Amino acid sequence: MLDKINSLKAAIEALSATSKEEVEALRIKYLSKKGEISLLFNDFRTVPNEQKKEIGQKLNELKNLATEKINNLREAVDNKQSDSNDLDLTRTASPLRLGKRHPISLVKEEIISIFSRLGFTIAEGPEVEDDWHVFSSLNFAADHPARDMQDTFFIQRNPDVLLRTHTSSVQSRVMTTTEPPIRIICPGRVYRNEAISARAHCFFHQVEALYIDKDVSFADLKQTLLYFAREMFGKDTQIRLRPSYFPFTEPSAEMDISCHICGGKGCAFCKHTGWVEILGCGMVDPNVLDACGIDSKKYSGYALGMGIERITNLKYRVKDLRMFSENDVRFLDEFEAVH
Ligand code: DAH
């Protein structure tokens, strides 16, 4: 009996297993009712009385050893399996917080996407500009108030270096360097010397569109505006053009869209008119074409410009312009990227 116990003990100590099934087989072999250790317990009856104490103790030790060994083997196999299945080396130590796109970027991308479907490509220009590209080439009179220190941030005087007050400056940059046909959209940041409030800021964003070719007419402009308005604000949107004045377009107009909040019936948002203004536009003034080296007898074109903050306000009803530049994550978190 003692020999049997000792040889089992040695065998159990040397056990190993690589899978759950193997561990289970070992448990059955040694510890089940008909297992080797249980059989020894059955034989215990035949042990002479004077040996019962010693052998009983050894038997119990053997059973404990086998139980412990098999439990350890099971644990090792479990760990190994979960290691190989669940180990994800790409996981970060702490969860990553996903950022959101800024509402101005979202709306800018949407405007670009609408115009790109009409064949417009993006053009960009510098924010620090000279007088010619921002004012003179665009037919601003020498004494135009926009050139005033009160309206424009000057970096240097004579020759004038300034922060562009509108993205129309990109028009003249492209016109002086490109042969028509020209079909561009120019998104960018612009600067004006304004006191900062809920309704005005000293920097904001604009998108300019310019189309120059032979025989471009006001009807082309109107169709583009209608397409844009419906893509941006929904297919039931109506547009209305009011005569206006800009130095660089003739004739000039401002475009309103039917108020998308009340559907044109009149509400506090549209000041009970049913319409909200969204952009300026017109036919490029022949003086501008000529100043930029494009033959105004051969070519004509239209231009339009809009503030991205304004469009964003209409879409998302942001009441305070300052929210756009404060980078408060609680505000930015409200916007989901659609593209
Ligand atoms: N540049 C004008 C502004 O800053 C916006 C504008 C109006 C652009 C009419 C245009 C246009 O191209 O045709 O207020």
Side-chain angles (χ1 to χ4, degrees), residues 52-263:
K52 271 206 157 90
K53 192 173 172 215
E54 188 197 354
I55 296 214
Q57 214 175 355
K58 290 244 151 72
L59 261 183
N60 278 329
E61 275 170 22
L62 182 69
K63 191 178 174 191
N64 290 343
L65 175 80
T67 312
E68 200 181 322
K69 178 78 190 184
I70 285 172
N71 282 345
N72 286 348
L73 285 177
R74 186 178 296 121
E75 212 171 286
V77 165
D78 278 355
N79 284 345
K80 209 167 103 211
Q81 281 187 343
S82 61
D83 270 3
S84 54
N85 293 339
D86 301 342
L87 181 66
D88 179 359
L89 294 174
T90 62
R91 266 181 71 170
T92 51
S94 47
L96 273 185
R97 194 175 176 281
L98 274 189
K100 298 274 170 73
R101 306 276 295 281
H102 193 283
I104 296 292
S105 300
L106 286 179
V107 172
K108 180 180 83 178
E109 292 302 326
E110 200 174 343
I111 299 171
I112 290 173
S113 139
I114 294 171
F115 277 91
S116 66
R117 278 176 252 149
L118 294 172
F120 286 76
T121 52
I122 299 176
E124 284 180 321
E127 292 180 11
V128 178
E129 265 290 9
D130 51 42
D131 172 279
W132 193 82
H133 286 98
V134 179
F135 297 127
S136 302
S137 64
L138 294 170
N139 207 29
F140 280 77
D143 58 354
H144 193 283
R147 295 173 181 229
D148 210 313
M149 287 282 255
Q150 267 91 53
D151 290 305
T152 304
F153 287 119
F154 285 91
I155 288 173
Q156 178 193 297
R157 275 303 183 53
N158 293 320
D160 289 347
V161 178
L162 46 99
L163 295 178
R164 68 180 177 193
T165 56
H166 54 182
T167 43
S168 305
S169 56
V170 186
Q171 287 188 18
S172 31
R173 290 217 161 249
V174 173
M175 282 193 275
T176 45
T177 52
T178 318
E179 282 282 311
I182 295 171
R183 201 169 354 202
I184 50 158
I185 173 149
C186 326
R189 182 176 286 179
V190 300
Y191 301 83
R192 286 186 199 173
N193 195 355
E194 303 256 9
I196 297 172
S197 71
R199 317 192 96 240
H201 211 296
C202 60
F203 62 78
F204 52 99
H205 300 79
Q206 287 187 331
V207 174
E208 186 89 11
L210 175 75
Y211 176 37
I212 296 176
D213 204 346
K214 288 179 184 138
D215 302 324
V216 177
S217 73
F218 202 91
D220 297 319
L221 169 61
K222 204 173 164 191
Q223 198 56 39
T224 303
L225 293 171
L226 184 63
Y227 177 76
F228 169 72
R230 293 196 166 160
E231 288 293 293
M232 194 75 198
F233 295 102
K235 60 178 176 9
D236 297 328
T237 308
Q238 303 293 321
I239 64 168
R240 165 173 100 167
L241 292 172
R242 285 177 290 103
S244 183
Y245 172 79
F246 299 102
F248 35 90
T249 44
E250 180 58 36
S252 305
E254 269 164 317
M255 180 174 95
D256 299 340
I257 56 165
S258 51
C259 179
H260 60 299
I261 287 163
C262 61

Side-chain angles (χ1 to χ4, degrees), residues 1-28:
M1 185 85 168
L2 261 182
D3 288 349
K4 186 88 206 225
I5 291 178
N6 285 337
S7 71
L8 269 182
K9 192 175 168 209
I12 287 169
E13 271 168 352
L15 288 181
S16 69
T18 53
S19 69
K20 273 187 181 161
E21 292 72 27
E22 279 179 40
V23 177
E24 181 59 9
L26 292 175
R27 187 193 68 79
I28 291 168

